[in-house]
Structure formats: C-alpha cells, structure tokens
Amino acid sequence: MGDAVQQFFAVKAKIAAAEREAGRETGAATLVAVSKTFDAADIAPVIEAGQRVFGENRVQEAQGKWPALKGAFADIELHLIGPLQSNKAKEAVALFDVIETVDREKIAAELAKEIARQGRAPKLYVQVNTGSEPQKAGIEPRDAVAFVTRCRNVHGLAIEGLMCIPPADENPGPHFALLEKLAREAGVANLSMGMSGDYETAIAFGATSVRVGSAIFGSR
C-alpha cells in the first residue's frame, strides 16, 4: 500500500473521529481529496482505495487527466476549488460536477449561459473571502447573502453551498463560524471549509465537505 493510500485512510479515520467528537453523524463531512499538481498515476491508487470525490484548482490541468479517470471510474465527483476565469466557464461546466468558486456577477452570468447551452448543471457554491484579504478571491462577507440571492433571482442559478479559505496566519474557527452564519442567512445547506491543517476544526463548526490535499498526497 502506497504512502498516499495509507495517508488517505488516516485522514478518513481523523474525519470520523472529528465527527464523533462534534456529535455529528458518521459521513456528515465529505472528504474532497485535492489532487492538483498530481498526475493520474498518483491519483488512481487513492480512487482504487475507495475515494470518489476530488478537487482541482485549474480547469486546464484538470482537463489533462480527469476525462480518462472519469471514464474509468464512472462515479467520480470532481470539484473546482480554484478561481474560475469567465473565459473558462464553458470547459468548467463540461468537466466539473461541483464549482465552489462563484464569486462575482460576470462568472454567475457566464455559468448561467453555459448551463443553459450544455444542459449540464454542476452544483454551485459561492466563495466568501472571510478575511477580506485583497489578494484572495471570494466575495466580501457583507455582500455574500445578497449575492447568493442575485445568483438565484437574476441568473437562475441554484446555489447549494458556501466555501472559504481563512487567512493562513489566523485562527480558522471564527472564519468557519462566520461562513456557517452566512449559509444560514442565505438558506444554503453545504459548507466547504477546512484544509489539511484545520479540517478537524472545520468539522466541529459544521463543514459538510473538507478539502484535503497535502495530508493525503504529500507536499507538491
């Protein structure tokens, strides 16, 4: 059994323990294995070990490896967790099952157009910049609920979740709590929060999915 497979099982065990600790049902938090920068040969053993949900940062990189993997494993669910450029909306709608990084009007409009054109509707999350960091993608927390409403009412998009990446040098707990509050206000069920260093904390705050890369695949 390779390192990534062993680490995958270790992460799954920690997720289950964090769910128990938080008084949540087993399976309440879905593991999104972040496979960016790793090739199909690195990913396949983790799929064979039972993992079916994966995250990628870039549309172009994902196009190079996932069509073949999805062909071989029909029940893969692929999440886009990196910033989406409007000129990549067509490819993103065609390939991804969940797009977690809707964060501005132009993206919402492009996605609506492509969903109508392709007849394929990935699940959509709005990314919230909980730390208001200028270098980071995501909508400002104060605008998040109104933006979700506009996505629904103006663009006809079914927004199913919120996603955040807390500032690296801050306690993530308050950011997770803020995202959970915004999700309740916006009437969305899913919370994508928590990465390799803080996913157990995120589960305690109600994460429905955690994005774990380096703790499974190692450093890039």
Side-chain angles (χ1 to χ4, degrees):
M1 191 161 64
D3 283 353
V5 172
Q6 284 178 311
Q7 284 158 199
F8 159 67
F9 284 124
V11 167
K12 289 285 280 184
K14 285 181 180 176
I15 288 172
E19 288 168 337
R20 282 194 302 276
E21 181 78 16
R24 299 180 64 193
E25 287 180 22
T26 302
T30 298
L31 170 61
V32 180
V34 179
S35 48
K36 64 180 185 182
T37 76
F38 290 95
D39 60 28
D42 298 314
I43 300 164
V46 178
I47 300 176
E48 282 156 8
Q51 178 62 11
R52 288 295 181 271
V53 187
F54 289 84
E56 288 283 340
N57 261 39
R58 294 190 173 88
V59 175
Q60 208 163 349
E61 183 193 335
Q63 282 178 306
K65 57 191 172 185
W66 280 104
L69 286 168
K70 281 182 126 192
F73 301 93
D75 52 349
I76 293 288
E77 182 178 279
L78 191 60
H79 291 229
L80 178 63
I81 59 170
L84 176 59
Q85 297 164 313
S86 53
N87 65 353
K88 289 275 188 263
K90 177 182 173 183
E91 291 89 343
V93 168
L95 180 59
F96 289 92
D97 304 293
V98 183
I99 295 171
E100 298 198 11
T101 50
V102 183
D103 67 349
R104 57 198 187 281
E105 205 80 38
K106 188 176 182 186
I107 289 293
E110 285 295 324
L111 288 171
K113 190 171 80 179
E114 283 304 325
I115 286 166
R117 200 177 68 80
Q118 295 184 35
R120 187 175 194 276
K123 293 174 183 172
L124 301 176
Y125 292 17
V126 164
Q127 181 173 354
V128 182
N129 185 355
T130 56
S132 298
E133 297 173 276
Q135 81 284 10
K136 198 172 275 181
I139 195 139
E140 285 290 318
R142 66 177 176 272
D143 301 324
V145 176
F147 179 64
V148 170
T149 303
R150 279 204 311 282
C151 284
R152 288 173 175 150
N153 297 347
V154 177
H155 302 289
L157 297 174
I159 302 295
E160 299 191 21
L162 300 182
M163 180 266 237
C164 76
I165 306 169
D169 55 352
E170 290 185 23
N171 173 6
H175 295 272
F176 298 153
L178 172 60
L179 199 72
E180 192 274 333
K181 174 177 171 285
L182 292 171
R184 271 187 288 116
E185 289 174 8
V188 299
N190 295 323
L191 288 169
S192 172
M193 56 191 197
M195 299 190 288
S196 286
D198 56 20
Y199 64 89
E200 291 156 294
T201 304
I203 289 167
F205 280 93
T208 58
S209 61
V210 293
R211 309 179 306 273
V212 180
S214 56
I216 296 171
F217 292 104
S219 53
R220 292 165 175 82

